[in-house]
Amino acid sequence: MDLNYPPEAEAFRKEIRSWLEENLPQGWFEPGFRQSDDERKEFNRTWIEKLFAGGWICAGWPVEYGGKGLSILQQVVLNEEFAKAGAPMRADFFGDTLVGPTILQWGTEEQKQEFIPGILQGKIAWCQGFSEPNSGSDLASLKTSAVLDGDEWVINGQKVWTTQAQYADYVFLMCRTDPNAPQHAGISYLLVPMHQEGVEVRPITQVDGSAEFNEVFFTNARCPKGNVVGGVNNGWKVAMTTLGFERGSSSTTGYRRFLKEWEAIVEETKRVKRNDDLRVRDNLVKSWQKVKIMEINGYRTLTDSLNNTHDAALLGACNKMFWSEMHRATMDLAIDILGMEGQILTGKGNEVSTTPGMGRGRADYPVSELQAFFFFSRSETIWGGTAEIQRNIIGERALGLPKEPKAQTV
Ligand SMILES: Cc1cc2nc3c(=O)[nH]c(=O)nc-3n(C[C@H](O)[C@H](O)[C@H](O)COP(=O)(O)OP(=O)(O)OC[C@H]3O[C@@H](n4cnc5c(N)ncnc54)[C@H](O)[C@@H]3O)c2cc1C
């Protein structure tokens, strides 16, 4: 799709392209590049330093907090050029895209000064402490409690599915701070240090051998009184901001990884000689159409953002539901095309994704890249709000349907 961006946006595009040409190591995503753990760590370390020096991490943030204050259009151009080059542009997903923007929107000046520089430099690793064993979709029923004791909050309870908790320095945690208030009105959003005696992280090993998720137990864990974001008992609103960031996506670039993946599936189709199968061809076209719809919707979202006419929560819900279901169906197709080969483990184990912008890094289980994406696509309709919950949001906010009935607790 050819779009006419204004000349100043194109000038900015040139600036980014030449920065990438100068700084991105040649062939960084070729097979064999940064295969070992040490190579990967070294690449990540030096790349984050370069990104930070260039000012490209969270470049849309205000200048006074270390960003470049880029306009929406400039951010889109930046995303597009990084996506085309297959260059990563984040220091830490949870920091850059979730808790960082939340602190900027809701945090006190002290919180911004304390946490934003560390987020920008990738020096604080974060995890998200929302879900509990009995509170996932129904998040407002959460039970983990925080009680003030002098100048500190004392936290007790359990979180689950906490991605990367084993590496995190801090958790952004939803806790009940007023057990007597109505559910949504008694929750606060705390920033809690992970490296302390009262926090225990237990990995959950998955079917593919990896252990990305954890259970996290809080037993009289503590954090300073001032680490509550957005005010005591106002955590529901603050958390909805974070979830809005999680469900939203980089509007005009999100489709690219799916296109890349679709092209890889077409290559596999040729390799296994199924490209003459009419059913396969038909399904490949249908799947390509969905990627195209994503691309076009991306531009619609951008137009809405530029005109300030969008409902971020609604667009986030539509996008999340569409791409996660589309991706599951595409991965089903990929495994179907591979036939018997798709059923056996054809990877070497410990492999690193070589497709820019895609994948989970490494899998301990010897799955091929497509098999790994197939497995992971099962989870995409769940995290960040399930597809059913997105449908509820769309039903209520876009279609004006009545709110779903809630069971009364007696
Ligand atoms: C890959 C991955 C990473 C994750 N990382 C994190 C993390 O870092 N931190 C964190 O806090 N959580 C994380 N989660 C947890 C995730 O947020 C929850 O799994 C999700 O909110 C769903 O909650 P649940 O698993 O308890 O399922 P439930 O809420 O029990 O839902 C079970 C089923 O019932 C359906 N359902 C529930 N309520 C309704 C309703 N009202 N209407 C219609 N259908 C409904 C759901 O759609 C689902 O199909 C992660 C999950 C995954 C898969």
Side-chain angles (χ1 to χ4, degrees):
M1 179 183 294
D2 287 330
L3 280 181
N4 291 324
Y5 284 74
E8 57 277 16
E10 293 304 339
F12 182 59
R13 188 185 298 284
K14 277 196 191 137
E15 186 190 327
I16 300 161
R17 270 189 201 159
S18 48
W19 187 88
L20 282 167
E21 272 162 26
E22 273 168 38
N23 289 281
L24 194 61
Q26 282 291 315
W28 78 272
F29 54 79
E30 299 290 332
F33 192 88
R34 72 197 165 105
Q35 279 292 319
S36 73
D37 270 350
D38 286 347
E39 282 169 341
R40 245 188 326 272
K41 272 187 201 142
E42 184 53 19
F43 173 82
N44 285 346
R45 193 186 59 76
T46 50
W47 182 244
I48 287 171
E49 273 173 19
K50 281 183 188 179
L51 282 179
F52 180 67
W56 300 126
I57 298 179
C58 307
W61 290 6
V63 178
E64 64 267 37
Y65 297 113
K68 275 184 187 289
L70 297 188
S71 66
I72 291 175
L73 199 55
Q74 283 175 318
Q75 290 175 60
V76 166
V77 171
L78 177 69
N79 279 331
E80 285 180 355
E81 290 309 310
F82 269 67
K84 273 185 216 155
M89 57 181 299
R90 283 184 188 136
D92 170 68
F93 168 77
F94 289 109
D96 296 8
T97 58
L98 301 184
V99 71
T102 305
I103 293 175
L104 281 178
Q105 182 164 335
W106 289 96
T108 60
E109 194 50 40
E110 289 74 25
Q111 288 165 353
K112 290 177 191 167
Q113 297 301 337
E114 182 175 353
F115 293 108
I116 294 297
I119 292 175
L120 276 173
Q121 293 177 58
K123 292 202 167 138
I124 310 177
W126 293 86
C127 64
Q128 178 178 24
F130 285 17
S131 307
E132 297 186 2
N134 293 312
S135 305
S137 302
D138 185 16
L139 191 56
S141 67
L142 62 90
K143 294 203 167 46
T144 296
S145 69
V147 177
L148 259 189
D149 176 25
D151 284 342
E152 289 184 321
W153 292 101
V154 180
I155 301 145
N156 282 286
Q158 184 200 339
K159 295 289 169 178
V160 72
W161 311 124
T162 323
T163 309
Q164 297 190 8
Q166 68 273 47
Y167 309 119
D169 302 307
Y170 271 84
V171 53
F172 44 104
L173 190 75
M174 285 180 77
C175 303
R176 189 153 301 286
T177 39
D178 184 350
N180 301 317
Q183 269 191 346
H184 294 80
I187 293 172
S188 297
Y189 188 107
L190 303 183
L191 308 176
V192 181
M194 290 289 284
H195 307 298
Q196 56 169 309
E197 212 174 293
V199 178
E200 187 195 346
V201 177
R202 291 188 203 161
I204 302 173
T205 306
Q206 289 160 237
V207 69
D208 69 355
S210 63
E212 222 169 86
F213 298 125
N214 301 273
E215 294 175 291
V216 185
F217 295 85
F218 297 88
T219 312
N220 295 325
R222 288 176 175 261
C223 79
K225 184 179 172 183
N227 281 18
V228 57
V229 181
V232 177
N233 295 328
N234 196 31
W236 184 256
K237 276 194 194 145
V238 182
M240 288 308 105
T241 314
T242 303
L243 285 176
F245 292 128
E246 188 169 11
R247 289 170 193 162
S249 60
S250 32
S251 57
T252 64
T253 49
Y255 79 94
R256 279 177 192 277
R257 64 168 271 229
F258 299 113
L259 185 59
K260 198 110 201 151
E261 190 176 76
W262 183 86
E263 286 164 355
I265 297 170
V266 171
E267 287 310 309
E268 285 294 278
T269 310
K270 290 186 203 156
R271 186 182 63 76
V272 298
K273 301 196 177 11
R274 296 201 59 193
N275 43 322
D276 287 335
D277 181 327
L278 290 182
R279 189 182 60 90
V280 167
R281 292 168 76 97
D282 190 37
N283 284 332
L284 278 170
V285 170
K286 283 186 182 139
S287 132
W288 178 85
Q289 284 171 331
K290 292 204 170 126
V291 177
K292 210 63 197 163
I293 290 172
M294 252 191 98
E295 181 185 358
I296 294 165
N297 266 344
Y299 287 107
R300 288 177 56 185
T301 306
L302 172 61
T303 311
D304 274 345
S305 300
L306 291 172
N307 294 338
N308 223 358
T309 49
H310 72 304
D311 173 341
L314 181 57
L315 280 175
C318 293
N319 287 336
K320 168 83 203 320
M321 188 191 75
F322 188 82
W323 74 253
S324 58
E325 293 192 335
M326 181 264 301
H327 196 220
R328 269 180 88 137
T330 307
M331 294 324 301
D332 287 351
L333 174 63
I335 293 298
D336 178 33
I337 289 172
L338 289 175
M340 288 306 286
E341 188 185 311
Q343 309 301 308
I344 53 175
L345 303 175
T346 50
K348 298 188 196 75
N350 284 339
E351 278 173 309
V352 177
S353 165
T354 53
T355 312
M358 283 169 59
R360 314 168 48 192
R362 53 186 291 163
D364 297 332
Y365 202 54
V367 287
S368 68
E369 193 163 74
L370 276 185
Q371 286 171 327
F373 295 151
F374 167 79
F375 281 129
F376 198 61
S377 70
R378 323 317 289 170
S379 75
E380 290 168 340
T381 50
I382 302 173
W383 61 256
T386 67
E388 289 78 16
I389 294 301
Q390 309 310 329
R391 280 193 169 75
N392 286 348
I393 297 173
I394 295 165
E396 287 169 22
R397 295 183 82 134
L399 308 177
L401 297 176
K403 279 190 177 293
E404 64 170 326
K406 290 254 181 241
Q408 294 287 329
T409 42
V410 194

